[in-house]
Amino acid sequence: MKILWFIPTHGDSRYLGTSKGARAATFDYFKQIAIAADSLGYEGVLIPTGRSCEDSWILAASLIDVTRRLKFLVALRPGLVQPSQSARMAATLDRLSGGRLLVNLVTGGDAEELAGDGQFLSHAERYEESAEFIRIWREILARSHSGDPLDFDGKHLKVKGARLLYPPVSQPYPPVFFGGSSEPAHELAAEQVDTYLTWGEPPAAVAAKVADVRARDATQRRTLQYGIRLQVIVRETEDEDLRAAAELVSELDEKTVAAAQAKFAQMDSVGQRRMAELHSGRFNKANVREGLEISPNLWAGVGLVRGGAGTALVGSAEQVAERIKEYAAIGLDYFVLSGYPHLDEAHRFAELVFPLLP
């Protein structure tokens, strides 16, 4: 069981959907979270990507010297950089960190943001491009150990004589993570990545996704690992964690929630649509469980205004540990977690839940 934390390069807060109680997204704050995660025993940290975030590669590189064992799960974005250049970046970061790089293949789902980055491909075409990108990327890195050049002529990408002179520490290449809920995403995961990540859906839904990817994986004669991306609100008692959940959404109003949901509805991400379907887009401040507790100790309140990982494990330390073990029994190896504010909750989760986990 490998537990990763999260560095909020888009900012941090005690309250969702408002700048009240916000913490500035500064390098000093990112360092504090990284050092805490490293010293507390987390496997690594996820560094997000997108126009609202600081660049994940530069930040990961800047955190090498302030950490010892911590791994960095950093985004690969097909279409923003060529696979050969990305392979050189990955090999350098992996070498300089002593083999602490993990990479997260991200196809993107926000058409407005993609257009701003010069990406105008359809959903299906983005997965075609991603499949070509990661195949070239993997081959260049794998061949760097032998020095053999690579020729590749695809629908979207082409290289001739691609070569990497300085190989990564990780062999044959830094592990590739990937998340997606559509059929093309499951096919890509089965064919090419090392760990498939799902957002936090109820255990039965997660089990169905894992079973589908695993069946495709078997036809490819490969063995993947599996993981889940979740928020977490954990306290010593159930009453305390419910109060913490209520406090987190205490500054929200219907207008803010409606605006966020309208934005998410414009995305072509199947995973984002599944997140939105877990709640009604409405909530009762007097009873934060109402309509938002979608499974025992699984709460969809974060997804009211946050895209992506919109569900949280909410409960006492014992309850949260049991839910994590339930997901682990499905076959999940990696748990990528976060909580508001991230520095405080990194300590709280480690102190309360780590002793209860294998």
Side-chain angles (χ1 to χ4, degrees), residues 3-7 30-46 66-72 337 342-343 346-347 350 354:
I3 311 291
L4 283 75
W5 198 246
F6 182 85
I7 296 185
F30 303 152
K31 283 196 296 183
Q32 289 180 58
I33 297 173
I35 292 169
D38 193 34
S39 60
L40 290 166
Y42 287 91
E43 176 81 6
V45 286
L46 169 63
V66 300
T67 54
R68 296 170 295 169
R69 297 178 299 273
L70 197 69
K71 296 178 182 178
F72 306 104
L337 308 177
H342 290 74
L343 178 60
H347 280 276
F354 275 9

Side-chain angles (χ1 to χ4, degrees), residues 199-201 270-279 300 303 307-311:
W199 281 331
E201 300 182 26
V270 174
Q272 184 61 61
R273 186 173 71 238
R274 290 171 69 109
M275 282 283 100
E277 290 170 352
L278 295 177
H279 57 75
T311 52

Side-chain angles (χ1 to χ4, degrees), residues 28-269:
D28 283 345
Y29 187 55
F30 303 152
K31 283 196 296 183
Q32 289 180 58
I33 297 173
I35 292 169
D38 193 34
S39 60
L40 290 166
Y42 287 91
E43 176 81 6
V45 286
L46 169 63
I47 305 178
T49 186
R51 64 181 176 184
S52 64
C53 305
E54 297 284 12
D55 183 80
S56 57
W57 287 86
I58 292 176
L59 181 61
S62 71
L63 295 174
I64 291 174
D65 277 352
V66 300
T67 54
R68 296 170 295 169
R69 297 178 299 273
L70 197 69
K71 296 178 182 178
F72 306 104
L73 182 52
V74 186
L76 289 180
R77 294 295 301 267
L80 302 192
V81 63
Q82 290 296 317
S84 54
Q85 173 65 16
S86 179
R88 285 194 287 274
M89 292 165 59
T92 299
L93 184 53
D94 193 56
R95 282 197 313 279
L96 296 182
S97 66
R100 292 192 279 146
L101 174 63
L102 309 171
V103 296
N104 183 29
L105 182 65
V106 178
T107 60
D110 184 339
E112 181 182 347
E113 180 174 333
L114 288 165
D117 288 333
Q119 279 278 64
F120 299 94
L121 300 177
S122 67
H123 182 274
E125 290 171 326
R126 289 203 309 277
Y127 276 99
E128 291 174 352
E129 181 187 45
S130 293
E132 292 181 6
F133 180 99
I134 199 63
R135 178 170 284 113
I136 295 170
W137 185 91
R138 290 168 59 231
E139 279 293 315
I140 290 174
L141 285 159
R143 291 178 182 221
S144 67
H145 301 284
S146 64
D148 296 333
L150 171 69
D151 293 343
F152 182 91
D153 191 358
K155 178 179 177 181
H156 300 278
L157 297 170
K158 179 179 180 179
V159 296
K160 185 174 179 61
R163 189 193 305 265
L164 181 63
L165 299 181
Y166 303 101
V169 172
S170 304
Q171 296 196 25
Y173 49 79
V176 179
F177 290 64
F178 171 74
S181 296
S182 65
E183 183 173 350
H186 286 194
E187 198 64 31
L188 173 57
E191 287 179 357
Q192 297 206 61
V193 308
D194 303 296
T195 298
Y196 172 77
L197 289 175
T198 176
W199 281 331
E201 300 182 26
V206 171
K209 292 173 77 173
V210 168
D212 182 64
V213 176
R214 187 172 281 152
R216 298 169 191 263
D217 176 26
T219 65
Q220 301 288 334
R221 298 183 179 180
R222 303 179 69 243
T223 301
L224 270 70
Q225 292 185 300
Y226 296 86
I228 191 167
R229 172 77 179 97
L230 285 161
Q231 308 288 337
V232 64
I233 302 173
V234 63
R235 298 293 186 271
E236 295 191 49
T237 68
E238 188 173 5
D239 287 343
E240 287 180 281
D241 61 64
L242 287 174
R243 286 197 296 270
E247 183 181 15
L248 186 62
V249 296
S250 62
E251 298 295 323
L252 288 183
D253 54 45
E254 291 187 2
K255 182 179 179 180
T256 301
V257 173
Q261 293 302 309
K263 173 64 175 175
F264 302 152
Q266 297 173 1
M267 300 180 182
D268 63 11
S269 165

Side-chain angles (χ1 to χ4, degrees), residues 132 318 348:
E132 292 181 6
E318 291 76 15
R348 195 190 307 273

